[in-house]
Amino acid sequence: MPLLIRIFATALLAGPLWAFGQATRATTAPAVADPPSPKAALRELNVAMRDGDVATIQRMFLATTPAERKMVAADAQMAAALADLRRAAVAAYGDAPAKTVTGDTVAGAAESLVRIDTAEVTINGDTATINYRDERDGPFVLKKVDGEWKVPVSELGKPLDPVALKQRLADLAVQTSVVRDVTKLIRDNKLPTAEQAREAWQNRILQAATSQPANRAERPARE
């Protein structure tokens, strides 16, 4: 699974921003927006990942090198493809059957809300450390840049060497293409059931994984 999407896999389906603790509005004065916070940033990013909002995803990640920007762009496109697949599956099969293709979005949303809202946040200047209570991910670091909390790509794992980065981007491009192909088949009514859509997705991913062994063999061995 793509690096950034894997990290947010349990939180991709968070509810819309207006669901997270609205401020009480006075009757004689305009509402005052809550100040930016690390949790608010995570909520916004989760919603963007869920909805496939490419622009917001790219804005919310702090990418400082060309390699990091390429990874964020590729993962954002994958998120957009997955979001479009969810919309197509729901339109074609209905909410319940679409779970066969996309997973249980209701359960995912509930879990992500709990994880964010119960996380412990420690702020030290322009650095925030997030500790989830279930300890599946973390500690998780955010940086404040120009008044906005962002997720530094450098905190998500070791940098990839050029060969590994090229392979990762190629794999991700193939996966994104497969998702888009299946989405088109659904919209063209060529996959009448959700089970057929799931099988089509799985089969195409397997075919893609077994059709590029030569590329992986080219990577030099580490000493």
Side-chain angles (χ1 to χ4, degrees):
M1 185 179 290
L3 174 63
L4 306 183
I5 292 178
R6 174 178 58 80
I7 290 172
F8 289 98
T10 61
L12 296 181
L13 304 169
L17 289 178
W18 51 260
F20 296 102
Q22 297 175 333
T24 301
R25 296 176 179 267
T27 58
T28 59
V32 177
D34 291 336
S37 70
K39 286 188 178 183
L42 287 179
R43 292 166 186 152
E44 183 176 4
L45 179 56
N46 289 329
V47 172
M49 295 288 283
R50 178 203 65 187
D51 293 343
D53 184 345
V54 172
T56 299
I57 293 170
Q58 292 180 315
R59 174 174 61 82
M60 296 298 295
F61 280 102
L62 180 60
T64 59
T65 68
E68 290 176 356
R69 287 189 284 272
K70 287 179 181 179
M71 280 303 305
V72 171
D75 278 324
Q77 290 300 322
M78 181 61 168
L82 290 170
D84 199 32
L85 174 64
R86 287 196 294 271
R87 289 189 288 267
V90 170
Y93 313 124
D95 289 333
K99 294 176 184 178
T100 301
V101 184
T102 64
D104 191 338
T105 61
V106 175
E111 180 181 3
S112 65
L113 280 172
V114 171
R115 296 192 74 222
I116 292 172
D117 289 340
T118 60
E120 295 181 354
V121 180
T122 302
I123 298 177
N124 184 8
D126 290 336
T127 300
T129 302
I130 313 294
N131 284 285
Y132 291 109
R133 292 186 182 276
D134 56 22
E135 297 183 349
R136 282 182 295 172
D137 298 312
F140 196 69
V141 174
L142 281 74
K143 295 287 186 180
K144 197 173 188 179
V145 180
D146 296 329
E148 185 174 31
W149 290 101
K150 297 175 180 286
V151 179
V153 178
S154 60
E155 296 285 344
L156 302 182
K158 295 181 180 179
L160 296 176
D161 62 63
V163 174
L165 175 64
K166 182 178 179 180
Q167 185 63 60
R168 179 75 64 84
L169 292 173
D171 290 345
L172 192 49
V174 169
Q175 294 171 28
T176 301
S177 178
V178 167
V179 172
R180 288 173 174 160
D181 287 346
V182 173
T183 300
K184 186 177 187 303
L185 290 174
I186 292 174
R187 290 202 168 110
D188 289 344
N189 298 316
K190 294 182 179 179
L191 298 171
T193 68
E195 289 77 10
Q196 288 175 321
R198 180 186 60 186
E199 291 176 3
W201 187 0
Q202 292 175 340
N203 290 339
R204 282 167 170 75
I205 286 294
L206 288 174
Q207 290 171 3
T210 57
S211 65
Q212 300 178 333
N215 292 340
R216 297 181 183 278
E218 292 174 0
R219 183 176 179 179
R222 295 182 180 272
E223 296 183 354

